[in-house]
């Protein structure tokens, strides 16, 4: 069973290396992601989507390829270099929103109502 996104295929050696690296760096990435989100959550309308994606990546039931897709999008959000600098009023987060929207569309069925509920709880605590 395969689809256009390759979710039904085995991982390549390079993908496996990326997964191993992300597991080593997971704690640092998580703290950077949550820290950045805390600083900007009130200014961006897609904060709940970001958190739902994060919760989905933390769920052991989430397929690995879905996790990689979401982590790549979340990594772009954390990355200090953007196509459009985040300090620019109104436009700053449009590239981040586009990347998150594309990732969410690619893995839409994998983010469950439970992930969204947990994201709402987390957002309330930020």
């Amino acid at each position: 069973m395969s689809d256009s996104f390759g979710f039904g295929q085995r991982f390549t050696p390079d993908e496996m290396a990326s997964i191993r690296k992300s597991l080593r760096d997971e704690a640092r990435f998580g703290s950077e992601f949550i820290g950045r989100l805390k600083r900007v959550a009130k200014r961006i309308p897609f904060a709940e989507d970001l958190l739902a994606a994060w919760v989905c990546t933390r769920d052991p039931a989430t397929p690995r390829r879905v996790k990689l897709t979401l982590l790549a999008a979340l990594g772009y959000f954390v990355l200090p270099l953007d196509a459009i600098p985040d300090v620019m009023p109104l436009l700053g987060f449009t590239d981040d929103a586009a990347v998150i929207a594309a990732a969410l569309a690619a893995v839409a069925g994998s983010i469950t109502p439970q992930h969204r509920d947990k994201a709402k709880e987390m957002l309330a605590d930020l």
Side-chain angles (χ1 to χ4, degrees), residues 51-123:
L51 279 170
W54 175 248
V55 171
C56 185
T57 67
R58 310 295 295 151
D59 184 348
T62 301
R64 289 180 290 186
R65 230 176 252 283
V66 170
K67 287 182 182 183
L68 285 176
T69 300
L70 293 173
L71 285 171
L74 295 173
Y76 185 82
F77 174 75
V78 172
L79 192 69
L81 301 172
D82 272 340
I84 303 172
D86 294 338
V87 294
M88 292 181 65
L90 301 174
L91 295 176
F93 288 103
T94 56
D95 59 327
D96 299 280
V99 169
I100 293 298
L104 292 176
V107 301
S110 297
I111 297 181
T112 67
Q114 292 81 9
H115 296 145
R116 294 216 174 264
D117 290 344
K118 178 67 176 169
K120 286 178 188 174
E121 290 173 21
M122 291 174 72
L123 192 55

Side-chain angles (χ1 to χ4, degrees), residues 4-102:
S4 61
F5 295 108
F7 290 128
Q9 299 172 356
R10 292 200 176 272
F11 286 99
T12 67
D14 288 340
E15 288 173 323
M16 289 304 298
S18 294
I19 291 168
R20 287 186 191 100
K21 183 178 182 330
S22 71
L23 291 175
R24 286 191 303 271
D25 297 338
E26 188 174 341
R28 190 184 100 232
F29 178 82
S31 67
E32 287 176 9
F33 168 72
I34 296 297
R36 176 154 167 73
L37 188 57
K38 281 181 182 179
R39 290 189 301 274
V40 300
K42 292 188 176 28
R43 296 187 327 210
I44 57 173
F46 57 96
E48 187 178 315
D49 290 328
L50 283 168
L51 279 170
W54 175 248
V55 171
C56 185
T57 67
R58 310 295 295 151
D59 184 348
T62 301
R64 289 180 290 186
R65 230 176 252 283
V66 170
K67 287 182 182 183
L68 285 176
T69 300
L70 293 173
L71 285 171
L74 295 173
Y76 185 82
F77 174 75
V78 172
L79 192 69
L81 301 172
D82 272 340
I84 303 172
D86 294 338
V87 294
M88 292 181 65
L90 301 174
L91 295 176
F93 288 103
T94 56
D95 59 327
D96 299 280
V99 169
I100 293 298

